[in-house]
């Protein structure tokens, strides 16, 4: 974890897929979410998902082996978030904190809060900056390509990757670190190549992207993830359900006692939740956010970002993130302190 310490209330920030704690600060002191919260007196803690560039060490498992990468966001929500949250609360000697999740950071929360009921009392408010759970309506061309490729045999593409010894998706390796400055190291190249690649994943919004920051952003991104995290999301796209990892019928029976993996019981979540969504988010549509809202029992507000081109990564890097997102986020937090 990374901390911007103060004596104020604790706020825990959790990044999305392929991200890391850096996501909350690379936009700079004027618009980085961690800085904005710290300036308001909060004790800001930033988690790192297992397997990203800050979380690649283990007592017994080596990152070159499949055993190290045999996890999805289920394990992140089931084991890692509780460990980090408990550490924050123990350090602060507090009983609860505010949780802000971006993308997979929201997904992992819904795993934790639905499966581990005790953590509902440890989170006084959860703010989801885009909340991918069941996402059959996502518009990303890349993920829709995976959807087409894997439509009839969804296990084949990922099985092939494992057979080829590919366990990590877009790792922050020395090769990538040397390659990224070549194609994204100047403002012009970053805009032409890397910015457009990011738009293909997340939605086009050139107006909100600070082009001078692109080389900085791509010096920190991508931060790596398990192939299995991507596979789990692909299952959520294909099935239209937010459920545990599908291992196939035989292993599902062994692990879950049923041929199909069980859905996460999000109806059991009692933590107050605010869902942020945007019209141009190609990964999490309004329809999918609304479907989640209907299942949740304690959504206190569903906030539409008031800008039609706002995309999935604008929550982190938009020029006007303070007026479009942060001011609302800060106001909601104040209501629950």
């Amino acid at each position: 974890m990374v901390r911007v310490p103060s004596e104020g209330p604790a706020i825990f920030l959790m990044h999305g897929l392929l991200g890391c704690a850096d996501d909350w600060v690379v936009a700079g002191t004027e618009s980085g979410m961690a800085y904005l919260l710290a300036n308001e007196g909060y004790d800001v803690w930033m988690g790192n998902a297992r397997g990203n560039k800050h979380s690649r060490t283990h007592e017994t498992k080596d990152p070159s082996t499949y055993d190290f990468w045999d996890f999805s966001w289920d394990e992140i929500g089931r084991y890692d978030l509780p460990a980090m949250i408990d550490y924050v609360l123990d350090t602060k000697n507090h009983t609860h904190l505010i949780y802000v999740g971006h993308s997979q950071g929201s997904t992992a929360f819904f795993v934790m809060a639905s499966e581990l009921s005790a953590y509902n009392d440890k989170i006084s408010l959860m703010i989801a900056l885009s909340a991918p759970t069941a996402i059959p309506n996502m518009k990303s061309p890349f993920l829709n390509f995976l959807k087409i490729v894997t439509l009839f045999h969804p296990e084949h593409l990922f099985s092939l990757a494992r057979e080829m010894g590919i366990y990590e998706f877009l790792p922050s390796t020395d090769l990538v670190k040397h390659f990224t400055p070549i194609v994204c190291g100047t403002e012009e190249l970053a805009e032409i190549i890397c910015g457009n690649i990011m738009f293909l994943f997340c939605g086009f919004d050139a107006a909100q992207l600070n082009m001078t920051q692109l080389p900085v952003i791509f010096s920190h991104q991508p931060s790596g993830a398990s192939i299995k995290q991507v596979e789990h999301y692909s299952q959520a796209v294909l099935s239209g359900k937010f459920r545990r990892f599908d291992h196939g019928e035989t292993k599902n029976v062994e692990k879950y006692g049923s041929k199909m993996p069980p859905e996460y019981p999000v109806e059991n979540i009692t933590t107050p939740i605010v869902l942020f969504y945007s019209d141009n988010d190609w990964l999490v549509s309004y329809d999918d956010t609304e479907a989640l809202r209907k299942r949740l029992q304690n959504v206190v507000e569903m906030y539409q970002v008031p800008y039609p081109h706002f995309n999935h990564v604008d929550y982190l890097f938009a020029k006007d993130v303070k007026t479009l997102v942060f001011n609302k986020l800060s106001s909601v937090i104040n209501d629950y302190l």
Side-chain angles (χ1 to χ4, degrees):
M1 287 185 287
V2 180
R3 183 185 184 190
V4 185
S6 86
E7 296 302 314
I11 293 187
F12 185 84
L13 309 179
M14 194 62 189
H15 64 81
L17 183 69
L18 295 174
C20 65
D22 303 11
D23 293 358
W24 305 104
V25 298
V26 294
T29 55
E30 297 301 315
S31 56
M33 192 70 69
Y35 292 118
L36 295 174
L37 288 166
N39 288 341
E40 295 203 348
Y42 295 108
D43 188 4
V44 183
W45 296 74
M46 292 161 274
N48 280 293
R50 64 170 76 182
N52 76 19
K53 66 182 182 181
H54 298 308
S55 302
R56 295 176 59 87
T57 56
H58 193 278
E59 290 185 353
T60 61
K61 299 177 181 180
D62 191 281
S64 65
T65 65
Y66 172 71
D67 195 31
F68 180 93
W69 296 102
D70 186 17
F71 64 88
S72 77
W73 33 261
D74 180 277
E75 285 79 8
I76 294 169
R78 192 176 300 273
Y79 304 113
D80 305 346
L81 282 188
M84 290 187 281
I85 288 167
D86 285 344
Y87 184 89
V88 173
L89 295 179
D90 289 346
T91 302
K92 296 282 291 182
N93 194 27
H94 287 180
T95 58
H96 56 268
L97 52 75
I98 302 284
Y99 185 104
V100 179
H102 174 242
S103 191
Q104 183 185 259
S106 300
T107 310
F109 170 85
F110 290 122
V111 172
M112 176 187 72
S114 64
E115 296 280 357
L116 305 171
S117 60
Y119 285 85
N120 285 275
D121 295 330
K122 298 183 181 185
I123 311 297
S124 55
L125 175 69
M126 187 276 184
I127 298 175
L129 305 179
S130 190
T133 51
I135 46 174
N137 297 300
M138 66 87 185
K139 303 173 185 177
S140 167
F142 171 77
L143 290 176
N144 270 306
F145 169 75
L146 285 182
K147 184 176 179 180
I148 295 170
V149 169
T150 63
L151 187 57
F152 299 105
H153 298 285
E155 72 282 0
H156 287 178
L157 182 64
F158 299 103
S159 294
L160 177 62
R162 284 189 286 270
E163 289 172 8
M164 296 173 63
I166 301 172
Y167 313 128
E168 186 178 7
F169 185 62
L170 294 180
S172 180
T173 61
D174 289 339
L175 176 62
V176 173
K177 289 176 183 176
H178 284 97
F179 179 75
T180 302
I182 296 173
V183 297
C184 305
T186 67
E187 183 179 337
E188 293 78 12
L189 283 173
E191 179 178 356
I192 295 169
I193 302 174
C194 300
N196 282 304
I197 291 174
M198 183 168 67
F199 287 155
L200 282 171
F201 276 84
C202 302
F204 282 82
D205 185 14
Q208 282 297 318
L209 189 60
N210 187 338
M211 296 303 175
T212 61
Q213 285 187 343
L214 277 177
V216 178
I217 292 170
F218 286 107
S219 70
H220 292 266
Q221 297 289 347
S223 297
S226 170
I227 287 284
K228 198 170 178 180
Q229 289 168 253
V230 181
E231 184 176 7
H232 203 169
Y233 272 129
S234 77
Q235 293 176 359
V237 173
L238 287 167
S239 69
K241 296 182 183 298
F242 183 46
R243 59 191 187 188
R244 298 189 66 178
F245 192 87
D246 189 348
H247 299 276
E249 288 188 1
T250 301
K251 191 170 180 180
N252 285 345
V253 171
E254 295 175 4
K255 190 173 182 67
Y256 309 129
S258 59
K259 291 183 178 180
M260 302 303 293
E263 291 194 57
Y264 294 106
V266 296
E267 295 85 358
N268 295 340
I269 297 175
T270 58
T271 300
I273 295 169
V274 178
L275 298 174
F276 280 60
Y277 73 97
S278 56
D279 289 337
N280 195 39
D281 187 336
W282 282 10
L283 294 176
V284 185
S285 68
Y286 165 77
D287 288 341
D288 292 342
T289 306
E290 174 63 11
L292 172 64
R293 185 197 65 79
K294 289 179 178 178
R295 290 191 64 198
L296 294 168
Q297 302 300 309
N298 204 15
V299 174
V300 295
E301 188 167 354
M302 189 163 160
Y303 175 72
Q304 180 183 23
V305 178
Y307 175 68
H309 304 296
F310 202 85
N311 70 23
H312 192 71
V313 294
D314 281 341
Y315 292 101
L316 302 172
F317 308 130
K319 292 178 183 178
D320 299 322
V321 71
K322 187 170 183 179
T323 56
L324 293 173
V325 173
F326 180 75
N327 289 345
K328 178 63 177 180
L329 180 146
S330 177
S331 173
V332 171
I333 289 174
N334 286 332
D335 291 339
Y336 282 84
L337 290 178

